[in-house]
Structures are given as structure tokens and as C-alpha cells.
Amino acid sequence: MSMPNLRVRLFGIACLVMAIALPFCVSTYYTQFLAKALIMGMLAMSLNLVVGHGGLVSLCHAAFFGLAGYVLALLSPRYDAASLLTTLPIAILCSGTAALLIGALVLRTRGVYFIMVTLAFGEMLFFFFHDTKFAGGSDGISVNIRPEIAIAGRQLLDLDKPMTFYFVVLGFLVGVIALLTMVVRSPFGRALAAARDNERRARSLGFPIFRLRLTAFTLSGALAGVAGYLAAAQFGFVAPQMLGWHQSATILVMVLIGGLRSVTGPLVGALVLIGMEEVLKAHLDNWKLVEGLIIIGIVILLPNGVRQIWSMVFGASPQRAAEIKPAAAEARHA
């Protein structure tokens, strides 16, 4: 194993140890805040499978996120806790099916047309929940009791406890990272990247471009459903705003801040953006203006995201260096 790869693995292990230890060192507020940040990081990583590894900018990703939250709210009994082991697979299935159906239509377009069509589908789902009485309309719907993890009527984990919920979220996050890493490094992931870099050449080599992208889009939507389910469980409330285009745009900013060509880059971007907002809100009245200027500065100075700092300090592995050069070229020509 090369030295850069060893450093990356050791750093990843150190981050996991810190994530496990943090809830024991901070207050309940920050435990809940960290859980929220990890959920949004999970959502950003799911989007990056389409944007960074597939080369397709989607603006309907929040629709899959919010849809899973509504599934939990609608399936939850009024005076009892829903079973996570039952409702989570249904929420993932609904989000994945929606992504499959939408992807089958939008993936027939390219470039700015793809962006606009995904935006249109996202807004259609937003207004479906906003302008109808279904699921509470514009007022949203509550999840009165968090789902529970139980087998044969016996509760295994109490998700009402902030620390327990945090570790459940962390467990799902580690699973998503492992799954995406496996997908990106598989022949499927390499074929998807080839289609991103040169679609014409990949097509001439016989790659099924449409099927590759549709599979990635569906998997991405399903993983967004995991994040949406956990977000609804944490906040106890689901509203149409979860499906809006502004939510999709925020997720895209997280991806750009963290880095497009990395599995965990969007997670870093989510932590940076949410942490920055928390600090700026506490100290400034016009914090949105300052936040926008900081984001512009990051995009200009670090075109490969904040993870580029690691490469600048410790040097990139040969594989990572090969990824950085095309990304930097794209940023210069954008």
C-alpha cells in the first residue's frame, strides 16, 4: 500500500473514532446537530453519484428526499411508533421507484435540457404535496412518534434518545459510504465514469449508456430516500419545502464545496456548509451575504472542493491525481 493511500485510510479511521466519541463530549443539542449534518451529508453523497460520477446535474433530488419522509409520516400510526424495519424499506422502494420513472424520461435529454426537466419534475412533486390536501397540504404532516427498531414486539433500540438516534444515523452513513465506494470502484462505476468523460467514445465501445445512467439515477434516488426517512424521523415533521428546488440547490452546493470526484467529498461539503451556517447565524445578522461570499471564494480558490486541501498538504495518490487533473481542466473551461 502506498503512503498516500495509507494516510487516507488512517485519516478515515481517525474520523470514525472521533464521530463515535463526539456524542460523549458534547451536549444533546450538538449531538442532534451532528445527526442532522450527517443526514444531509448522506443526501449529498447520493446526489454526487449522479453529478460527480455520472456527469449529470440533477435538480430534482430533493423530491426523492422529501418523498421518503412523507412515506414515513403516512405509514406512522397516530398514537404508536412505526417499525423502522418495515417502513424504511417501503420508503426506499418508493423513492427508488420515483427515481426510476423520472430517470427513464429525463435521461433522454442532455445538458441544460436535462437540468430543466429534472427541475420541472421536482416542482411537480413539490406542488402535488403543497397544493392538495393530501398529507396536510402546505402545512405538512407530523410524525408524532419516532419509528422504533423492534423484533417480535420487543424494542431493541430507543430512537427517542438523541445519542441512540445519532449512532443509528452514523451506522447508516458508514453503510452508504461503503456501498458507494464499492459501486464507484466496480466495473459499473468505471463504465459510468467513462460515459461521463467521453460519451461518444464509451458508446462506440459498446457501453449501454442509458442503462448505466438510469441505474445510477435510481440508486441515487433510493439512497436519498434513506436520508429523507431519517430526516423525517429526527425532526418529527415533513413539509413540501423538503421537496423544493431550493433544497436541491443546497445539496448541489454541498457537493461542489466538498468535491465532485470523491465519495466522501460531499459529506465534507455538508459538514462545512452546515457548520458555517451555524457559526454565522450566531454572530451576524446578514449571515447569508457572508455565507455566499465564502462559498464563491471556495469555488474559485478550490475548484476540486475543500478536500483539495488534503492533496495540497499531503500530496495526492496516483489515482486521485488522475482524477484531479480532468476536474481542474473542467473548472478552467467552465
PDB file of all heavy atoms in Angstrom, residues 51-66:
ATOM      1  N   VAL A  51     -24.097  13.387 -10.153  1.00  0.00           N
ATOM      2  CA  VAL A  51     -23.427  14.612 -10.601  1.00  0.00           C
ATOM      3  C   VAL A  51     -21.927  14.381 -10.825  1.00  0.00           C
ATOM      4  O   VAL A  51     -21.401  14.617 -11.911  1.00  0.00           O
ATOM      5  CB  VAL A  51     -23.637  15.751  -9.583  1.00  0.00           C
ATOM      6  CG1 VAL A  51     -22.887  17.009 -10.025  1.00  0.00           C
ATOM      7  CG2 VAL A  51     -25.112  16.051  -9.426  1.00  0.00           C
ATOM      8  N   GLY A  52     -21.236  13.932  -9.785  1.00  0.00           N
ATOM      9  CA  GLY A  52     -19.790  13.802  -9.878  1.00  0.00           C
ATOM     10  C   GLY A  52     -19.332  12.602 -10.669  1.00  0.00           C
ATOM     11  O   GLY A  52     -18.408  12.699 -11.483  1.00  0.00           O
ATOM     12  N   HIS A  53     -19.976  11.462 -10.466  1.00  0.00           N
ATOM     13  CA  HIS A  53     -19.540  10.236 -11.126  1.00  0.00           C
ATOM     14  C   HIS A  53     -20.311   9.969 -12.416  1.00  0.00           C
ATOM     15  O   HIS A  53     -19.815   9.241 -13.282  1.00  0.00           O
ATOM     16  CB  HIS A  53     -19.685   9.052 -10.175  1.00  0.00           C
ATOM     17  CG  HIS A  53     -18.901   9.203  -8.913  1.00  0.00           C
ATOM     18  ND1 HIS A  53     -17.530   9.079  -8.869  1.00  0.00           N
ATOM     19  CD2 HIS A  53     -19.288   9.505  -7.650  1.00  0.00           C
ATOM     20  CE1 HIS A  53     -17.097   9.281  -7.628  1.00  0.00           C
ATOM     21  NE2 HIS A  53     -18.151   9.541  -6.872  1.00  0.00           N
ATOM     22  N   GLY A  54     -21.486  10.554 -12.552  1.00  0.00           N
ATOM     23  CA  GLY A  54     -22.268  10.364 -13.775  1.00  0.00           C
ATOM     24  C   GLY A  54     -22.253  11.543 -14.719  1.00  0.00           C
ATOM     25  O   GLY A  54     -22.630  11.423 -15.884  1.00  0.00           O
ATOM     26  N   GLY A  55     -21.816  12.726 -14.215  1.00  0.00           N
ATOM     27  CA  GLY A  55     -21.733  13.905 -15.068  1.00  0.00           C
ATOM     28  C   GLY A  55     -23.076  14.531 -15.403  1.00  0.00           C
ATOM     29  O   GLY A  55     -23.200  15.250 -16.394  1.00  0.00           O
ATOM     30  N   LEU A  56     -24.107  14.290 -14.583  1.00  0.00           N
ATOM     31  CA  LEU A  56     -25.448  14.803 -14.851  1.00  0.00           C
ATOM     32  C   LEU A  56     -25.894  15.669 -13.675  1.00  0.00           C
ATOM     33  O   LEU A  56     -25.949  15.194 -12.535  1.00  0.00           O
ATOM     34  CB  LEU A  56     -26.435  13.649 -15.043  1.00  0.00           C
ATOM     35  CG  LEU A  56     -26.114  12.667 -16.172  1.00  0.00           C
ATOM     36  CD1 LEU A  56     -27.001  11.434 -16.057  1.00  0.00           C
ATOM     37  CD2 LEU A  56     -26.306  13.342 -17.529  1.00  0.00           C
ATOM     38  N   VAL A  57     -26.216  16.928 -13.935  1.00  0.00           N
ATOM     39  CA  VAL A  57     -26.634  17.853 -12.882  1.00  0.00           C
ATOM     40  C   VAL A  57     -28.146  17.754 -12.707  1.00  0.00           C
ATOM     41  O   VAL A  57     -28.907  18.199 -13.562  1.00  0.00           O
ATOM     42  CB  VAL A  57     -26.225  19.296 -13.211  1.00  0.00           C
ATOM     43  CG1 VAL A  57     -26.664  20.239 -12.105  1.00  0.00           C
ATOM     44  CG2 VAL A  57     -24.715  19.380 -13.416  1.00  0.00           C
ATOM     45  N   SER A  58     -28.572  17.165 -11.594  1.00  0.00           N
ATOM     46  CA  SER A  58     -29.995  16.958 -11.322  1.00  0.00           C
ATOM     47  C   SER A  58     -30.493  17.976 -10.306  1.00  0.00           C
ATOM     48  O   SER A  58     -29.842  18.210  -9.279  1.00  0.00           O
ATOM     49  CB  SER A  58     -30.233  15.541 -10.800  1.00  0.00           C
ATOM     50  OG  SER A  58     -31.546  15.395 -10.327  1.00  0.00           O
ATOM     51  N   LEU A  59     -31.665  18.545 -10.563  1.00  0.00           N
ATOM     52  CA  LEU A  59     -32.290  19.480  -9.632  1.00  0.00           C
ATOM     53  C   LEU A  59     -33.622  18.947  -9.106  1.00  0.00           C
ATOM     54  O   LEU A  59     -34.485  19.732  -8.727  1.00  0.00           O
ATOM     55  CB  LEU A  59     -32.490  20.842 -10.302  1.00  0.00           C
ATOM     56  CG  LEU A  59     -31.245  21.715 -10.455  1.00  0.00           C
ATOM     57  CD1 LEU A  59     -31.577  23.028 -11.140  1.00  0.00           C
ATOM     58  CD2 LEU A  59     -30.608  21.991  -9.098  1.00  0.00           C
ATOM     59  N   CYS A  60     -33.768  17.630  -9.092  1.00  0.00           N
ATOM     60  CA  CYS A  60     -34.994  17.063  -8.528  1.00  0.00           C
ATOM     61  C   CYS A  60     -34.681  16.102  -7.388  1.00  0.00           C
ATOM     62  O   CYS A  60     -35.543  15.336  -6.959  1.00  0.00           O
ATOM     63  CB  CYS A  60     -35.819  16.360  -9.599  1.00  0.00           C
ATOM     64  SG  CYS A  60     -35.079  14.830 -10.231  1.00  0.00           S
ATOM     65  N   HIS A  61     -33.451  16.150  -6.889  1.00  0.00           N
ATOM     66  CA  HIS A  61     -33.040  15.161  -5.903  1.00  0.00           C
ATOM     67  C   HIS A  61     -33.773  15.329  -4.579  1.00  0.00           C
ATOM     68  O   HIS A  61     -34.012  14.351  -3.871  1.00  0.00           O
ATOM     69  CB  HIS A  61     -31.532  15.251  -5.685  1.00  0.00           C
ATOM     70  CG  HIS A  61     -30.898  13.913  -5.512  1.00  0.00           C
ATOM     71  ND1 HIS A  61     -30.843  12.969  -6.503  1.00  0.00           N
ATOM     72  CD2 HIS A  61     -30.302  13.341  -4.433  1.00  0.00           C
ATOM     73  CE1 HIS A  61     -30.247  11.889  -6.069  1.00  0.00           C
ATOM     74  NE2 HIS A  61     -29.914  12.085  -4.807  1.00  0.00           N
ATOM     75  N   ALA A  62     -34.126  16.560  -4.247  1.00  0.00           N
ATOM     76  CA  ALA A  62     -34.857  16.782  -3.003  1.00  0.00           C
ATOM     77  C   ALA A  62     -36.232  16.121  -3.037  1.00  0.00           C
ATOM     78  O   ALA A  62     -36.799  15.810  -1.985  1.00  0.00           O
ATOM     79  CB  ALA A  62     -34.999  18.274  -2.736  1.00  0.00           C
ATOM     80  N   ALA A  63     -36.764  15.893  -4.228  1.00  0.00           N
ATOM     81  CA  ALA A  63     -38.072  15.238  -4.340  1.00  0.00           C
ATOM     82  C   ALA A  63     -38.014  13.829  -3.771  1.00  0.00           C
ATOM     83  O   ALA A  63     -38.933  13.383  -3.069  1.00  0.00           O
ATOM     84  CB  ALA A  63     -38.515  15.211  -5.801  1.00  0.00           C
ATOM     85  N   PHE A  64     -36.938  13.101  -4.036  1.00  0.00           N
ATOM     86  CA  PHE A  64     -36.796  11.744  -3.504  1.00  0.00           C
ATOM     87  C   PHE A  64     -36.564  11.784  -1.989  1.00  0.00           C
ATOM     88  O   PHE A  64     -37.043  10.917  -1.257  1.00  0.00           O
ATOM     89  CB  PHE A  64     -35.644  11.028  -4.201  1.00  0.00           C
ATOM     90  CG  PHE A  64     -35.671  11.151  -5.693  1.00  0.00           C
ATOM     91  CD1 PHE A  64     -34.532  11.507  -6.413  1.00  0.00           C
ATOM     92  CD2 PHE A  64     -36.846  10.941  -6.404  1.00  0.00           C
ATOM     93  CE1 PHE A  64     -34.559  11.632  -7.790  1.00  0.00           C
ATOM     94  CE2 PHE A  64     -36.885  11.059  -7.778  1.00  0.00           C
ATOM     95  CZ  PHE A  64     -35.736  11.408  -8.478  1.00  0.00           C
ATOM     96  N   PHE A  65     -35.849  12.790  -1.551  1.00  0.00           N
ATOM     97  CA  PHE A  65     -35.589  13.022  -0.127  1.00  0.00           C
ATOM     98  C   PHE A  65     -36.902  13.254   0.621  1.00  0.00           C
ATOM     99  O   PHE A  65     -37.201  12.594   1.620  1.00  0.00           O
ATOM    100  CB  PHE A  65     -34.652  14.232  -0.008  1.00  0.00           C
ATOM    101  CG  PHE A  65     -34.374  14.695   1.384  1.00  0.00           C
ATOM    102  CD1 PHE A  65     -33.550  13.969   2.224  1.00  0.00           C
ATOM    103  CD2 PHE A  65     -34.891  15.897   1.846  1.00  0.00           C
ATOM    104  CE1 PHE A  65     -33.262  14.413   3.511  1.00  0.00           C
ATOM    105  CE2 PHE A  65     -34.612  16.352   3.117  1.00  0.00           C
ATOM    106  CZ  PHE A  65     -33.799  15.609   3.962  1.00  0.00           C
ATOM    107  N   GLY A  66     -37.713  14.197   0.123  1.00  0.00           N
ATOM    108  CA  GLY A  66     -38.972  14.517   0.781  1.00  0.00           C
ATOM    109  C   GLY A  66     -40.007  13.418   0.657  1.00  0.00           C
ATOM    110  O   GLY A  66     -40.804  13.193   1.571  1.00  0.00           O
TER     111      GLY A  66
END
